[in-house]
Amino acid sequence: MSLLELTKISKHFGGVRALHEVDLSVDAGEVVALIGDNGAGKSTLVKIVSGVESPDTGEIRVRGESARLVSPRAAAEAGIRTVFQDLSLCDNLDAVQNLFLGQEKYGPMWSGRRIRRHVMEEHAHRILESLSVKLRSLNTPVVALSGGQRQGIAICRALISDPAVVILDEPTAALGVSQRAEVLDLIHRLRDQGRGVVVISHDMKDVRQVADRVVALRLGSKVAEFRRGEYTPSDLVGAMTGAHEGDSSVPAGATEGDEL
Amino acid sequence: MSTATASAPDTQRTPAGRAIEMVTGGNRSIPVLIVLAIIWTVFYSQSSAYLSFQNITNLTLQIATTAILALGVVFVLLVGEIDLSSAVLSGVCAAIAAGLAVNSGLALPLAIAVAIGAGMAITLIEALVITFGVPSLIVTLGGMVILQGLILVVLPPEFTVSVAGTSFAKIASTAVPAGASYVLAAVGTVAFAAYRFFVYRERISTGTRTSPVSIVVPSVLVAVVLFGGVYTLTRQRGLPMPVLIVAVMLLIAWYFTTQTRYGIHLYAVGGDREAAQRAGVPVRRMVIYSFLILGACAAVAGMVDASRQLGVSVTSGAGPLMLNAIAAAVVGGTSLFGGRGSIWSAILGALVIGSISNGVQLLGLTTEVQYFATGAVLIIAVAVDVVLTRGSLWPGRR
């Protein structure tokens, strides 16, 4: 059974067709890469899965059960966490406040929901350490941190609630070489923990390195699906750009994937 | 946002950037305290009466209304909105309370409750229109004009209510006797130290780094402020009630903005609305809460002011009160762009602005000097805010 299964998801913005009957499934312990050119509908799909947007039609199943992801909170409760490309950190808050934003640990009602900062700090230390994210201080507003540190905090934030599915939107786009390797390492670690991981990426090198399965979108539709080792780099580029259109190159993996 | 990411490491390396980093966050009050010290030194050098016990007591009474209103404005600024209507609203609420208590003979606590309720109801309507999508500048500008009309409706035909000699006037004229004030200061100090000890124990229990210094130093500071304040302000007749009201409101506001989940969400909404929304923070509700707090603060400010002026009239809440309250919040270090600042900026900013006008009057200088100085301080404060928000001293270096 898939952790997350999307069936025939469509979404329009006004007259613009952003997604058309897209299917996608993620199993436990699997990394699925979502690729596509600009405007292919990757971001819309991410927004739908993370509860920011609702699909016009189509069904979302989480662990086999139909789910309505009407808000980010509903998606989080269903066990889906998203790390957005812009990281969605509040610049004016510190690392601990950002990590727990929306899922703070707080005391009883009579205390006015007093935050249990010491518990949160201890938890934050543990989780940041497990991914070796190094910070000078947990009390510095994140605007003063480096791009890699901010990415680390954003990914750690997704892990606070121990989600089943983690969605990473362009996780390596803003990073240097060593930090990129760290993030790819982290994606493997997420998979080894038995989570389902969806990685949206432009970078074919990253995709080939981490993905067990690659799904290509073009102009809002799913055009191809490849399994690890069953594709060449030019297959990916071809599927993204439509360069091989009309070629008989719809790979065996695609039909197989559709039946899943 | 991505531009902020790119500029962050740069600002850290330049000395100016480091200085900017230092005065943001928790140390944001320090520049204001320095400005306050300069103002006091300048006026004191001109007239030694400026820092007399009597004048300081006067000053605190003069700024009480501004400080209470500024406190409400801070909440609205923190979520990235603005309000122009709360000063007139304070007049409307005062007219309601005074009308009910003096003319209709309603019990004072009930009249006060009705006025606070009315204030919150009006700001609730404004907030609903704002969360619907109309800019708060426009909603509250229109609201201000409507409220100027409403105050004419609420006031009796003669357009004034005198509260002289009634229980209403006692709100401002009551003074807590010196003995009781010292007891209050002692209780406050002990409670604060106990709280710090509680936090210390909490942090030890999870192995978080901490030290007993985190109990002692802040507690000594609080003791100095409380006992120094009580000593200064009780030289005349005892601790004035408005000062106590301001102190209690600040205490409550401090707790909720810094110690609770509500506070984190408040700052998150002001810092980055979309990020807050994605994290599951109820953004619209937080905006509405802020305006409700503003409504309550405006009502209290209006009643304290009416009680001190011994009446309500069409000019209640008019004049410079609104701009002074906004200026106080901003001068005190609360950003106009949302998400940065603290509730202390309300009292510190009100002190700065009050100190200038008090000093100008004491020295018998002309009114224009007061306007020049207050306006200049406001512009400088916003310029500092712009530099801090941009993270760079010079424009175009993002």
Side-chain angles (χ1 to χ4, degrees), chain B residues 8-66:
Chain B
D10 296 336
T11 53
Q12 258 181 299
R13 279 183 209 108
T14 66
R18 212 171 294 146
I20 286 166
E21 202 192 326
M22 228 179 67
V23 292
T24 45
N27 301 332
R28 194 81 188 276
S29 298
I30 291 172
V32 193
L33 287 170
I34 293 171
V35 169
L36 198 57
I38 293 171
I39 292 170
W40 284 8
T41 312
V42 168
F43 281 117
Y44 184 64
S45 69
Q46 300 299 308
S47 159
S48 59
Y50 185 68
L51 289 184
S52 65
F53 291 124
Q54 188 184 357
N55 194 48
I56 291 177
T57 309
N58 276 346
L59 175 64
T60 57
L61 283 172
Q62 285 161 1
I63 67 163
T65 308
T66 312

Side-chain angles (χ1 to χ4, degrees), chain A residues 56-70:
Chain A
D56 297 336
T57 58
E59 200 189 11
I60 302 173
R61 285 175 170 274
V62 181
R63 290 194 199 81
E65 280 173 36
S66 184
R68 281 174 46 75
L69 309 177
V70 289

